[in-house]
Amino acid sequence: MAPFFFNFENCVIDLSASRSRSTICLGSSPDLVFLTHLCHHQRQHFMVLPGVADAIRTSLGPRGMDKMIQRGDGEVIITNDGATILGQMSVFHPCAKMLVELSKSQDIEAGDGTTSVVVLAGSMLNACSDLLAKGIHPTMIADSFKAASEKAEEILQAMSKPVDLRARETLIDAVVTCLSSKVVSQNSDILAPIAVDAVLKIIDPDTARNVDLNDIRIVKQLGGTVDDTELVPGIVFEKGANKGAAGGPTRIEKAKVGLIQFHLSAPKTDMENNVVVSDYAAMDRILREERKYILNLVKKIKKSGCNVLLVQKSILRDAYNDLSLHFLAKMDIMVITEVERTDVEFIQRTLGCMPVAHIDSFTPDKLGSAELVTEVTVPGGSHKVVKVTGVQNPGSTMSILIRGSNKLVLEEADRSLHDALCVVRSLVKKRFLIAGGGAAETEVNLGLTEWSKMQAGMKAYCVAAFAQSLEVVPYTLAENGGLNPIAIVTELRRRHAGGEKGTGINVRQSNISDMYEERVVQPLLVSLSAISLASETVCMLMKIDDLVPVARV
């Protein structure tokens, strides 16, 4: 890197890439030298950060573009979800990795706004770079940004409107706003009510303060379209019943459901071995004993009253064989195999059954119950699934069966529905709504600008720069919508200065309108979390003055 010079009134400072090569001439001030050197090193590791934000900036908003990601194994992902895009990127710079973690934190806290939080962080870092160039110390910038972030939360809280969780249509509006920027936005009229109903049916709207999304199981099924997605008040198994050669039942009413974790096959030793049998009589005796052993297992299962049997998937050896399926079919027991270990807890909470690890423990008190267990062919395809409805504990869990014409659409619908569920969860955690379309960021920008005029010294410059950085959201919305960003943001600022707090950018009509009338709303928690997490990350980065590589041992 070529040397460059800073010219001051009484000194000339020559800074190269290495600290040891820095030379000071003409008797300069030590504080001034340190600050200039600090600015140089911070700029070095700041250069890579706005590039990460710019990579996903075009995906923000309803008119944002999607990204096609090709992974190393050849798999292709099409999405505009910020957390997904950043999660798939190969990022090597430690500071850039912090932005990736920032997006993940937003996804955990709010579930939505994963693109906005990184775009905000990138804009704040640009503002910090300008402040450093003016000679303001990084610690002063970090402290001022923290104070501005707290003030921004007060402004957002003041402009928000309380929401009643029983107002279903209002919740649907918030979910539709979230889905408007997704690939499956044209299916939001189907997905939004499903997401709202799924959450409302597993909580008490009056007392709930959080939602465990593990109580909502999403099952993906290829075939049909996203419009065929449905909400099932029970359990959906991805595969049909395993009927075997004897053809077992496919519909059971007043079901008694058992879940087993042992094997319905002949016992084997723990180590690899081969048994050579040369005598036909001995061979017949082995087959007869195996048949007797399996029949005894099935008789005990039938004696308990079980008529629907769930068999957990095994990686050690065969969890079942054709002979056991034959006996179970003859005794009119419906069999569902390949149950994943991760689904056992969900099944247990839904049906009230207990997983059984040994046949001697398979007793009637371990069984769950359901009104109907039936195998159905999903519309738009030939694949079969098993639906369990009329469960013992209605309202404790829900299942969503997602459909899609191809794998790419199916995966994106899954991610979009997760974001939709997170939006409803955000409203449960913090029951306030704010206007979308850049209205919140514009209002905070104006509020912080006025507040900065009451501050003294360098803090006033820092707060004003923080406020200015928030305008990147309405600017990007206008830019991605094909509008004139400068004219739109200027008009939006004028309308908010006139007291119209709910006005935002309507990209569909290419104008500025009242977002509450357009029913474009979003949870308060999403914006609060985005501004708080972005400013916290920037403040941490501001206090890093150098990158110290460690030698490999």
Side-chain angles (χ1 to χ4, degrees), residues 195 320 331:
Y320 60 94
M331 296 187 182

Side-chain angles (χ1 to χ4, degrees), residues 88-319:
Q88 298 295 331
M89 289 174 63
S90 296
V91 180
F92 299 102
H93 196 284
C95 295
K97 288 181 180 179
M98 291 181 66
L99 291 189
V100 177
E101 296 299 325
L102 169 65
S103 183
K104 291 180 181 179
S105 299
Q106 175 73 6
D107 194 29
I108 294 171
E109 176 65 22
D112 192 22
T114 53
T115 304
S116 303
V117 70
V118 178
V119 171
L120 281 172
S123 180
M124 290 178 188
L125 287 169
N126 283 329
C128 290
S129 181
D130 295 338
L131 293 171
L132 286 171
K134 293 178 180 178
I136 301 178
H137 196 277
T139 303
M140 173 59 71
I141 298 174
D143 293 343
S144 300
F145 272 35
K146 186 176 186 302
S149 174
E150 294 173 355
K151 183 64 178 179
E153 293 182 11
E154 296 177 12
I155 298 171
L156 284 173
Q157 189 75 50
M159 70 171 291
S160 63
K161 293 185 177 181
V163 61
D164 183 4
L165 293 183
R166 298 187 183 277
R168 181 172 176 268
E169 291 301 321
T170 304
L171 303 186
I172 291 176
D173 291 342
V175 176
V176 169
T177 302
C178 164
L179 294 175
S180 64
S181 62
K182 308 296 183 185
V183 176
V184 294
S185 58
Q186 65 272 17
N187 307 106
S188 58
D189 57 333
I190 300 293
L191 298 180
I194 288 176
V196 172
D197 292 339
V199 173
L200 291 182
K201 287 183 179 180
I202 64 171
I203 65 168
D204 184 351
D206 297 324
T207 60
R209 288 295 176 264
N210 202 350
V211 181
D212 186 1
L213 294 184
N214 291 324
D215 292 337
I216 301 174
R217 184 167 178 257
I218 298 178
V219 179
K220 296 175 287 187
Q221 198 61 252
L222 196 62
T225 64
V226 179
D227 286 336
D228 296 323
T229 300
E230 60 178 313
L231 181 65
V232 179
I235 301 179
V236 178
F237 293 99
E238 298 178 9
K239 297 181 180 180
N242 199 333
K243 297 179 283 295
T250 59
R251 178 185 174 89
I252 300 290
E253 296 182 359
K254 304 295 182 181
K256 293 294 182 181
V257 186
L259 173 59
I260 63 171
Q261 297 177 315
F262 55 86
H263 305 108
L264 292 175
S265 57
K268 294 182 181 179
T269 57
D270 292 336
M271 62 181 66
E272 188 71 24
N273 66 86
N274 291 315
V275 178
V276 179
V277 180
S278 56
D279 184 9
Y280 285 108
M283 188 180 301
D284 289 340
R285 189 164 61 252
I286 290 174
L287 293 175
R288 190 165 56 251
E289 289 297 325
E290 179 180 341
R291 182 184 180 92
K292 182 179 178 182
Y293 175 81
I294 295 175
L295 181 59
N296 184 47
L297 291 178
V298 174
K299 283 182 176 179
K300 289 183 178 180
I301 292 173
K302 181 66 176 178
K303 185 179 179 181
S304 69
C306 172
N307 53 14
V308 175
L309 186 65
L310 309 179
V311 183
Q312 182 175 307
K313 186 176 182 180
S314 173
I315 59 173
L316 298 176
R317 59 189 179 92
D318 295 336

Side-chain angles (χ1 to χ4, degrees), residues 435 495 502-504 512-520:
R495 297 276 290 271
T503 53
I512 294 175
S513 55
D514 191 322
M515 294 290 99
Y516 291 116
E517 293 180 1
E518 297 291 336
R519 299 167 71 180
V520 178

Side-chain angles (χ1 to χ4, degrees), residues 240-243 247-256 307-308 332-336 370-376 385-389:
N242 199 333
K243 297 179 283 295
T250 59
R251 178 185 174 89
I252 300 290
E253 296 182 359
K254 304 295 182 181
K256 293 294 182 181
N307 53 14
V308 175
D332 292 328
I333 298 176
M334 185 176 181
V335 185
I336 302 169
E371 292 295 322
L372 178 64
V373 180
T374 180
E375 181 186 75
V376 297
V385 299
V386 175
K387 291 183 179 179
V388 182
T389 54

Side-chain angles (χ1 to χ4, degrees), residues 430-478:
K430 202 169 189 67
R431 305 184 182 191
F432 291 91
L433 281 171
I434 57 174
E441 289 78 12
T442 305
E443 184 66 23
V444 174
N445 171 33
L446 289 176
L448 286 178
T449 301
E450 291 297 319
W451 188 62
S452 69
K453 297 176 183 178
M454 305 176 190
Q455 308 305 310
M458 290 182 288
K459 184 176 181 180
Y461 284 100
C462 297
V463 173
F466 183 94
Q468 188 68 26
S469 67
L470 297 179
E471 280 196 341
V472 70
V473 172
Y475 187 94
T476 304
L477 289 175

Side-chain angles (χ1 to χ4, degrees), residues 395-430:
S396 59
T397 59
M398 296 295 290
S399 297
I400 300 175
L401 177 61
I402 298 182
R403 309 296 309 287
S405 57
N406 59 64
K407 186 178 179 181
L408 296 177
V409 173
L410 196 62
E411 294 293 335
E412 181 62 10
D414 181 18
R415 287 188 288 267
S416 301
L417 191 56
H418 175 266
D419 285 357
L421 294 171
C422 288
V423 166
V424 186
R425 184 187 65 180
S426 297
L427 290 172
V428 174
K429 293 169 70 174
K430 202 169 189 67

